[in-house]
Amino acid sequence: MDYVPAAMLWLLTIIRIPTILHKERASVLRATFFAAIACTLFIPEVYANTDPLLGGRNHVGLVLIIAIMAGFWQFHTATVLATFVDDVRRRHHLKRGRLAAIVAGTCVVYGFSVSHVEITNQNLPLVYGNQPGMQLFLWTGSAFIIWVCSDVALNCFRFLPELRGRSFRSGVSCFAAGCLLMAVALGNRLSLGLIGESSSDNPLVVGLNWSFPIFETLAVILVTLGLMIPRYGVSARLIRRSFRSRWLMVLLTPTWRRSSTERKYLLRNRWTPLLDPVTGHPVDHLHRRVIEIRDCQLRGLALHPRDRILVNQAEQLLQGHD
């Protein structure tokens, strides 16, 4: 299960690479990139093999939590840019997010630097949670992420009624739910830090350790789906529009051939348009075909009732009523 969140986030990062130069959408790409790094480092085998490369002493844990914080900071930035239209409120929220990230990042680095975590162990809250420096490290990092998740979810739900498009609303709802689940997962880690290593056989500790990967995986899945559903919705509409355009061209072919009797009125005087339903740019070809039929109709071509219905359907599709 540890590999599922990392794989989904890397896939989402790759999908969003085309937005790297977009001023407002690039923050989501940066967020998924940092989150993918964090989820990859959290895999036990990766954690154990990477820590020696960074000098040991659980430095990979420091990199991991900084990557998580950077990722959620970028998610917060993306949400503010997407939901707030007022420039003053937008700048205020962005400034607050940057300030919180700087303060939390400073506390995390300081808390880790004064902690004694010489032996590599992925479960920092349970093994080293009794140290003041590690408590500062864990509490500050977790509190920052929980605040970001809560603020992101609040903004998403607040502006949900104003959003247009069912797929976009569904995506925002999934994203907000994923953020809330991530906050629950971080609360899980904080609870482990409070209980301590001496209670490792406690059924509550066992339950917390068992439930954390479930919360984390569900959170990542919901966040990933939330970011992909709007894009999928657009793609699905394009696919459906393309299919309907091709099918209408096939149905209109007899009418179009009948209108080609007076070849001097055709805008495209060639036989190859018969292949238009199976070639590229079907919407453009359908548009051209409707124009040719309407042109011949204005010059005296009589259309059967069924043909008129098909032409009207094609015009509605071209106008976006699909």
Side-chain angles (χ1 to χ4, degrees):
M1 185 176 288
D2 293 324
Y3 291 89
V4 175
M8 293 193 69
L9 286 170
W10 281 118
L11 175 62
L12 184 58
T13 301
I14 294 172
I15 292 175
R16 300 197 67 90
I17 285 178
T19 65
I20 191 171
L21 298 179
H22 195 283
K23 183 178 179 181
E24 294 190 355
R25 297 172 63 191
S27 54
V28 177
L29 172 62
R30 292 192 293 269
T32 57
F33 174 71
F34 286 123
I37 291 177
C39 282
T40 303
L41 293 177
F42 193 75
I43 299 173
E45 295 81 5
V46 177
Y47 189 100
N49 293 325
T50 305
D51 194 50
L53 301 177
L54 300 178
R57 296 189 69 255
N58 288 287
H59 281 99
V60 66
L62 176 62
V63 175
L64 189 154
I65 196 167
I66 289 177
I68 294 177
M69 292 172 62
F72 276 96
W73 172 38
Q74 290 299 314
F75 275 134
H76 180 266
T77 301
T79 305
V80 170
L81 292 175
T83 57
F84 286 92
V85 180
D86 188 347
D87 289 338
V88 176
R89 294 183 64 190
R90 176 184 288 187
R91 285 196 299 269
H92 172 72
H93 279 73
L94 291 176
K95 183 179 179 180
R96 185 178 62 176
R98 285 193 296 267
L99 180 61
I102 292 172
V103 173
T106 303
C107 292
V108 162
V109 173
Y110 174 76
F112 185 88
S113 65
V114 298
S115 300
H116 299 286
V117 288
E118 287 77 11
I119 301 176
T120 300
N121 192 308
Q122 183 188 14
N123 205 339
L124 294 177
L126 191 59
V127 179
Y128 301 109
N130 59 340
Q131 299 183 35
M134 185 52 55
Q135 290 180 0
L136 177 65
F137 170 82
L138 294 171
W139 277 93
T140 306
S142 299
F144 172 79
I145 297 171
I146 291 174
W147 170 76
V148 169
C149 290
S150 303
D151 193 60
V152 167
L154 178 63
N155 288 331
C156 289
F157 288 129
R158 180 187 301 166
F159 289 93
L160 191 62
E162 302 178 13
L163 300 178
R164 296 182 178 180
R166 183 173 58 184
S167 63
F168 196 69
R169 286 196 299 270
S170 299
V172 172
S173 299
C174 284
F175 181 75
C179 289
L180 290 178
L181 272 179
M182 184 58 69
V184 173
L186 263 296
N188 180 310
R189 294 288 89 181
L190 287 178
S191 300
L192 280 176
L194 289 174
I195 295 173
E197 182 182 11
S198 59
S199 306
S200 57
D201 295 331
N202 190 318
L204 178 59
V205 174
V206 175
L208 290 173
N209 275 318
W210 174 81
S211 61
F212 174 75
I214 296 178
F215 287 136
E216 181 202 27
T217 302
L218 288 177
V220 172
I221 290 175
L222 286 173
V223 168
T224 303
L225 288 176
L227 295 174
M228 293 181 67
I229 285 176
R231 296 175 64 85
Y232 172 78
V234 173
S235 300
R237 286 195 296 273
L238 291 176
I239 293 173
R240 184 170 63 250
R241 184 181 177 88
S242 174
F243 178 80
R244 288 200 61 197
S245 298
R246 296 178 191 278
W247 181 239
L248 283 171
M249 274 192 285
V250 172
L251 296 178
L252 285 171
T253 295
T255 305
W256 177 82
R257 289 295 305 131
R258 199 155 52 86
S259 68
S260 66
T261 304
E262 301 183 38
R263 310 264 327 155
K264 62 180 180 179
Y265 296 134
L266 281 176
L267 299 177
R268 299 168 65 191
N269 188 15
R270 59 189 182 90
W271 284 91
T272 51
L274 292 173
L275 301 177
D276 286 347
V278 295
T279 57
H281 308 290
V283 176
D284 295 338
H285 293 321
L286 178 64
H287 185 219
R288 180 68 68 176
R289 187 157 297 189
V290 169
I291 289 178
E292 293 177 353
I293 293 174
R294 287 300 193 192
D295 182 69
C296 291
Q297 184 183 15
L298 291 174
R299 297 175 184 275
L301 175 68
L303 294 180
H304 298 302
R306 176 179 177 274
D307 297 332
R308 287 198 297 269
I309 293 175
L310 290 175
V311 173
N312 289 334
Q313 289 179 352
E315 290 177 335
Q316 289 179 357
L317 176 66
L318 294 172
Q319 293 171 3
H321 304 299
D322 55 341

